[in-house]
Amino acid sequence: RVDASGAKELAPVAFKGEKDGKQQLVIVLINEQYQSQTVRLKGDFAAYKTMQVHETSTARDLARTYSGAVKTDVTLPMQSVITIVLSE
């Protein structure tokens, strides 16, 4: 189970799977607001070592905006779709 708090009208969608023999968790967040929002992800992320964040908005087309250690606070630019990939 994945939850996100701190944002208005946000319902995260998460998918688990495997790629190249490693478990992955993909989280999709949609910000329809006309302002950026910061969310705190809640869930059991202990098994995941890396995180990539991709942004789709008027300014970016699935651009990677973060790659590194797993973090729980994520900023969603206004009117954007954020795709988060957590990997073992």
Side-chain angles (χ1 to χ4, degrees), residues 70-86:
V70 176
K71 59 182 185 173
T72 56
D73 289 348
V74 178
T75 299
L76 289 70
M78 69 176 200
Q79 295 192 308
S80 64
V81 176
I82 299 298
T83 304
I84 300 167
V85 181
L86 303 174

Side-chain angles (χ1 to χ4, degrees), residues 8-69:
K8 295 181 196 176
E9 303 174 19
L10 182 72
V13 178
F15 306 90
K16 277 182 94 171
E18 186 176 306
K19 182 177 180 185
D20 300 328
K22 294 184 178 186
Q23 289 294 315
Q24 288 191 324
L25 176 64
V26 177
I27 304 165
V28 178
L29 304 167
I30 301 171
N31 180 11
E32 295 183 32
Q33 301 295 310
Y34 286 94
Q35 62 189 15
S36 64
Q37 301 187 69
T38 298
V39 299
R40 174 158 290 158
L41 300 175
K42 296 178 183 177
D44 183 9
F45 306 125
Y48 302 101
K49 308 253 185 295
T50 63
M51 176 179 189
Q52 292 184 0
V53 179
H54 302 270
E55 176 187 331
T56 301
S57 64
T58 57
R60 296 187 169 104
D61 185 14
L62 202 58
R64 185 180 305 163
T65 57
Y66 176 81
S67 183

